Amino acid sequence: MARAKLTFKDINLTVNAPVGARVIDISEKVGTGIIYGCREGDCGTCMMQVEEGWNNLTEPSVVEHKALKENNAGRHQRLACQAQILGDVTVRPA
Protein backbone atom coordinates (compact mmCIF):
# COMPACT_ATOMS: atom_id res chain seq x y z
CA MET A 1 0.00 0.00 0.00
CA ALA A 2 1.24 3.48 -0.90
CA ARG A 3 2.08 5.77 1.98
CA ALA A 4 2.59 9.50 2.46
CA LYS A 5 4.05 11.71 5.18
CA LEU A 6 1.42 13.48 7.26
CA THR A 7 2.83 16.15 9.57
CA PHE A 8 0.82 17.54 12.47
CA LYS A 9 2.43 20.91 13.11
CA ASP A 10 0.69 21.44 16.48
CA ILE A 11 2.49 18.48 18.06
CA ASN A 12 5.54 18.49 15.73
CA LEU A 13 4.93 14.88 14.64
CA THR A 14 5.27 13.29 11.21
CA VAL A 15 3.75 9.88 10.53
CA ASN A 16 3.61 7.60 7.50
CA ALA A 17 -0.05 7.36 6.61
CA PRO A 18 -1.75 5.15 4.03
CA VAL A 19 -2.77 7.01 0.89
CA GLY A 20 -6.55 7.35 0.96
CA ALA A 21 -6.79 7.63 4.76
CA ARG A 22 -8.80 10.49 6.20
CA VAL A 23 -6.77 13.01 8.18
CA ILE A 24 -9.12 12.70 11.19
CA ASP A 25 -8.48 8.94 11.47
CA ILE A 26 -4.71 9.46 11.73
CA SER A 27 -5.17 12.51 13.97
CA GLU A 28 -7.23 10.48 16.41
CA LYS A 29 -4.60 7.73 16.58
CA VAL A 30 -1.71 10.07 17.39
CA GLY A 31 -3.56 12.54 19.63
CA THR A 32 -3.37 15.87 17.83
CA GLY A 33 -5.37 18.98 18.65
CA ILE A 34 -7.83 18.49 15.79
CA ILE A 35 -11.20 17.95 17.44
CA TYR A 36 -14.32 16.59 15.82
CA GLY A 37 -17.98 16.20 16.56
CA CYS A 38 -19.31 14.10 13.73
CA ARG A 39 -17.25 12.61 10.79
CA GLU A 40 -20.05 13.39 8.35
CA GLY A 41 -18.78 16.74 7.07
CA ASP A 42 -21.69 18.76 8.45
CA CYS A 43 -20.55 20.38 11.69
CA GLY A 44 -17.15 21.91 10.88
CA THR A 45 -15.52 21.29 14.29
CA CYS A 46 -12.62 19.43 12.69
CA MET A 47 -11.52 22.40 10.60
CA MET A 48 -7.79 22.30 9.93
CA GLN A 49 -5.30 24.61 8.29
CA VAL A 50 -3.26 23.00 5.51
CA GLU A 51 0.25 24.44 5.87
CA GLU A 52 1.88 22.49 3.03
CA GLY A 53 0.73 19.98 0.45
CA TRP A 54 -2.69 21.47 -0.32
CA ASN A 55 -2.76 19.60 -3.64
CA ASN A 56 -1.98 16.32 -1.86
CA LEU A 57 -5.50 16.05 -0.45
CA THR A 58 -8.65 14.95 -2.25
CA GLU A 59 -10.88 17.69 -3.63
CA PRO A 60 -13.62 18.88 -1.26
CA SER A 61 -16.93 17.07 -1.74
CA VAL A 62 -20.17 19.01 -2.16
CA VAL A 63 -20.96 18.38 1.52
CA GLU A 64 -17.52 19.57 2.66
CA HIS A 65 -17.63 22.61 0.38
CA LYS A 66 -20.99 23.60 1.91
CA ALA A 67 -19.66 23.17 5.48
CA LEU A 68 -16.51 25.17 4.67
CA LYS A 69 -18.61 28.00 3.26
CA GLU A 70 -20.99 27.98 6.24
CA ASN A 71 -18.00 28.17 8.62
CA ASN A 72 -16.29 30.99 6.69
CA ALA A 73 -13.25 28.82 6.03
CA GLY A 74 -10.10 30.36 4.67
CA ARG A 75 -8.50 29.34 1.39
CA HIS A 76 -6.35 26.58 2.83
CA GLN A 77 -8.73 25.22 5.42
CA ARG A 78 -10.32 21.80 5.14
CA LEU A 79 -12.38 19.40 7.25
CA ALA A 80 -10.18 16.62 8.64
CA CYS A 81 -13.16 14.23 8.59
CA GLN A 82 -13.44 14.63 4.81
CA ALA A 83 -9.93 15.26 3.47
CA GLN A 84 -8.15 12.12 2.29
CA ILE A 85 -4.38 11.94 1.97
CA LEU A 86 -2.92 11.59 -1.53
CA GLY A 87 0.67 12.67 -0.79
CA ASP A 88 2.81 14.50 1.77
CA VAL A 89 0.91 17.14 3.71
CA THR A 90 1.36 19.35 6.80
CA VAL A 91 -1.67 20.41 8.85
CA ARG A 92 -2.59 22.06 12.14
CA PRO A 93 -5.88 22.76 13.92
CA ALA A 94 -7.61 25.86 12.56
Side-chain angles (χ1 to χ4, degrees):
M1 173 177 270
R3 299 187 81 72
K5 289 184 176 138
L6 174 57
T7 301
F8 295 99
K9 199 167 186 179
D10 61 317
I11 61 171
N12 196 30
L13 177 68
T14 300
V15 297
N16 287 316
V19 168
R22 293 182 305 164
V23 174
I24 197 66
D25 294 332
I26 308 302
S27 171
E28 186 177 38
K29 288 180 183 175
V30 300
T32 73
I34 298 173
I35 58 170
Y36 63 93
C38 66
R39 292 185 179 251
E40 301 285 324
D42 288 330
C43 68
T45 58
C46 65
M47 185 94 59
M48 64 180 180
Q49 181 73 31
V50 182
E51 298 285 327
E52 295 178 30
W54 175 258
N55 294 327
N56 290 332
L57 295 171
T58 53
E59 291 291 321
S61 66
V62 173
V63 172
E64 181 183 6
H65 183 67
K66 180 180 178 236
L68 292 170
K69 187 174 180 178
E70 289 172 354
N71 287 284
N72 297 314
R75 183 171 178 229
H76 291 285
Q77 292 183 321
R78 293 287 306 273
L79 298 181
C81 72
Q82 297 293 299
Q84 293 176 312
I85 303 159
L86 301 175
D88 296 353
V89 65
T90 300
V91 300
R92 65 172 172 81

